[in-house]
Amino acid sequence: MAAARASSRSMLADLDALGQGHLATLAQAQSVFDAARAESIGLEKLEARHSAAVAAADLRAEQIVLDEIASTRWHRDQAAHDTTDDGGAR
């Protein structure tokens, strides 16, 4: 009976040591994960800022094209209007 108790205590101590080893491994893995996640969050924010800058540049370029089209049309309409005014004055 005493031998069985001693054996059980020994196995319990082994399991406890194994559990402590797993806890240490878990803590280390959690630390590595937290560091990687912090870096990942930084990269996600950088990506979002970059996407916003690209979208703004695209919108700016599109607006320049639209302004150029409107300006060209306005000048063409003014030239046509001036031509019809000159033709009527003769």
Side-chain angles (χ1 to χ4, degrees), residues 70-86:
S71 175
T72 303
R73 170 101 189 221
W74 184 84
H75 285 291
R76 189 177 339 125
D77 289 348
Q78 287 299 316
H81 181 68
D82 290 346
T83 303
T84 55
D85 285 348
D86 290 344

Side-chain angles (χ1 to χ4, degrees), residues 5-80:
R5 271 188 251 158
S7 175
S8 294
R9 268 184 279 213
S10 174
M11 287 190 314
L12 185 59
D14 289 345
L15 286 175
D16 189 43
L18 183 63
Q20 293 300 322
H22 286 301
L23 287 176
T25 302
L26 174 65
Q28 182 182 8
Q30 186 67 48
S31 176
V32 170
F33 174 80
D34 291 343
R37 182 66 185 137
E39 184 177 336
S40 172
I41 289 171
L43 289 174
E44 289 169 6
K45 288 180 180 179
L46 181 61
E47 178 188 18
R49 284 195 305 265
H50 174 71
S51 295
V54 168
D58 288 346
L59 289 173
R60 204 170 15 260
E62 183 179 352
Q63 188 61 50
I64 289 169
V65 169
L66 291 173
D67 290 345
E68 183 63 29
I69 291 169
S71 175
T72 303
R73 170 101 189 221
W74 184 84
H75 285 291
R76 189 177 339 125
D77 289 348
Q78 287 299 316

